[in-house]
């Protein structure tokens, strides 16, 4: 059964007529499980890491999307951003109706009024497909970065 947040995200994606695919799977609780499933499916997609950060100057919350590097467990945000603590991450996840391990840019649909910015690591723009959680452990969304960044996010802010 789909949770209410995921149902709202899928409904929004369809209402906006966005290009995406839905993958249903057993409940995944770790990135390793998501990555293994993608590998098995032979889908040419990447799972960006969503890191909650705060701007050093303003303290504004930013969701930093990074490519996972094989040698690093945790992605380092760029200069000017500091990783948020567990309490700040939990507060943002509560606001965005997700769990820390299901946090993705799709959750920004629930960021009203807009509170959280987004910053994408440049290497991710080269990827053709991103695998993101729709605030659910039991499904994933495959979406082209262009559709997410140029259609989904602007429409979500207007919602």
């Amino acid at each position: 059964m789909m949770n209410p947040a995921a149902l709202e995200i899928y409904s929004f994606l369809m209402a906006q007529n966005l290009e995406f695919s839905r993958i249903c799977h057993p409940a995944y609780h770790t990135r390793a499980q998501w990555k293994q499933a993608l590998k098995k499916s032979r889908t040419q997609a990447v799972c960006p890491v969503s890191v909650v950060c705060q701007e050093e100057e303003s303290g504004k919350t930013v969701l930093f999307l990074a490519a996972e590097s094989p040698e690093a467990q945790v992605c380092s945000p760029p200069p000017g951003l500091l990783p948020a603590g567990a309490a700040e991450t939990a507060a943002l996840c509560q606001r965005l109706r997700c769990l820390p391990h299901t946090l993705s840019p799709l959750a920004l649909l629930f960021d009203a009024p807009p509170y959280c910015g987004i910053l994408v690591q440049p290497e991710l723009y080269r990827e053709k497909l991103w695998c993101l959680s729709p605030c659910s452990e039991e499904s994933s969304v495959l979406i082209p970065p262009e559709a997410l960044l140029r259609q989904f996010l602007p429409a979500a802010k207007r919602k």
Side-chain angles (χ1 to χ4, degrees):
M1 185 169 147
M2 198 178 307
N3 72 44
L7 182 59
E8 196 169 331
I9 287 171
Y10 284 118
S11 295
F12 187 80
L13 288 166
M14 288 184 283
Q16 296 300 313
N17 201 27
L18 293 174
E19 177 186 345
F20 78 96
S21 299
R22 176 179 173 213
I23 301 174
C24 296
H25 47 69
Y28 294 155
H29 305 286
T30 66
R31 287 191 52 73
Q33 290 173 308
W34 261 286
K35 286 172 48 183
Q36 186 62 30
L38 267 181
K39 195 178 205 179
K40 278 184 185 176
S41 73
R42 297 180 188 201
T43 302
Q44 297 297 312
V46 297
C47 292
V49 177
S50 296
V51 182
V52 179
C53 298
Q54 292 182 313
E55 288 182 349
E56 284 184 272
E57 300 265 325
S58 67
K60 180 180 173 167
T61 302
V62 174
L63 186 62
F64 174 55
L65 291 185
E68 188 172 47
S69 74
E71 59 279 346
Q73 290 287 68
V74 178
C75 297
S76 299
L81 290 181
L82 299 172
E88 291 88 357
T89 298
L92 180 64
C93 288
Q94 183 175 5
R95 177 181 174 88
L96 300 181
R97 299 166 49 184
C98 65
L99 298 169
H101 64 278
T102 65
L103 176 62
S104 84
L106 295 173
L108 293 176
L109 178 66
F110 307 115
D111 189 30
Y115 166 80
C116 184
I118 186 166
L119 180 66
V120 178
Q121 189 178 43
E123 298 88 87
L124 283 175
Y125 289 112
R126 290 192 293 260
E127 302 297 336
K128 288 185 166 81
L129 210 51
W130 291 353
C131 179
L132 303 172
S133 171
C135 299
S136 170
E137 298 172 325
E138 297 170 344
S139 69
S140 298
V141 170
L142 298 175
I143 189 167
E146 288 289 313
L148 178 86
L149 299 170
R150 296 192 189 267
Q151 294 173 278
F152 176 85
L153 290 174
K157 284 184 182 180
R158 291 189 304 265
K159 180 183 147 256

